[in-house]
């Protein structure tokens, strides 16, 4: 009987230790993005990797395929469609805009997503969750 109790206690302790070691993972999917709002900071780099300029906007993923973003400096709202394929987000607004393109998901958490693309030089987009 003691062996059974010790075995059960060992299993419980091991389960607790394993669950504590697991880091909460956030998967970027259309389902996790739908109906969320993000502050986007966009940073542009030159061919030597030096930051040259930046821009910002508010991004809203309205559904699992559509969104909109507003550029505070220009007082404009643009709609876009998007697709998520594992580590890539493709955003298409039908014309050249701040977010248009193929973006690699470099880092992700429930509160922040870092996207990277090359147009033709490196561009980083940091999305900080607002809602």
């Amino acid at each position: 009987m003691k062996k059974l109790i010790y075995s059960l206690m060992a299993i419980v302790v091991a389960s607790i230790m394993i669950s504590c070691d697991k880091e909460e993972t956030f998967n970027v999917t259309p389902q996790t993005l739908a109906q969320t709002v993000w502050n986007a900071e966009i940073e542009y780099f030159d061919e030597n990797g030096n930051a040259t300029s930046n821009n910002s906007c508010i991004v809203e993923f309205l559904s699992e395929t559509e969104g909109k973003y507003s550029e505070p400096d220009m007082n404009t709202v643009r709609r876009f469609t998007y697709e998520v394929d594992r580590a890539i987000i493709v955003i298409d607004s039908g014309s050249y805009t701040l977010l248009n393109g193929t973006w690699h998901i470099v880092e992700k958490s429930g509160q922040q997503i870092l996207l990277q693309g090359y147009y033709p030089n490196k561009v980083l987009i940091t999305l900080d969750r607002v809602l």
Side-chain angles (χ1 to χ4, degrees), residues 3-22:
K3 287 182 182 181
L4 178 62
I5 292 173
Y6 287 133
S7 296
L8 289 174
M9 286 178 54
I11 291 171
V12 169
V13 169
S15 298
I16 291 171
M17 290 176 63
I18 289 170
S19 67
C20 289
D21 286 342
K22 283 186 181 177

Side-chain angles (χ1 to χ4, degrees), residues 54-66:
N54 60 8
N55 212 329
S56 64
C57 63
I58 302 296
V59 179
E60 295 181 59
F61 293 96
L62 302 172
S63 70
E64 293 179 8
T65 59
E66 296 180 349

Side-chain angles (χ1 to χ4, degrees), residues 79-109:
R79 293 195 168 270
F80 62 85
T81 59
Y82 74 97
E83 294 179 28
V84 179
D85 183 12
R86 294 179 305 231
I88 293 177
I89 296 179
V90 178
I91 297 175
D92 183 9
S93 63
S95 62
Y96 175 76
T97 60
L98 288 175
L99 301 178
N100 227 31
T102 301
W103 302 98
H104 296 267
I105 302 166
V106 179
E107 294 177 17
K108 60 188 177 184
S109 73

Side-chain angles (χ1 to χ4, degrees), residues 43-54 121-123:
E43 193 166 13
Y44 303 91
F45 295 83
D46 65 17
E47 61 277 353
N48 298 318
N50 301 312
T52 58
S53 63
N54 60 8
N121 299 319
K122 183 169 83 170
V123 180

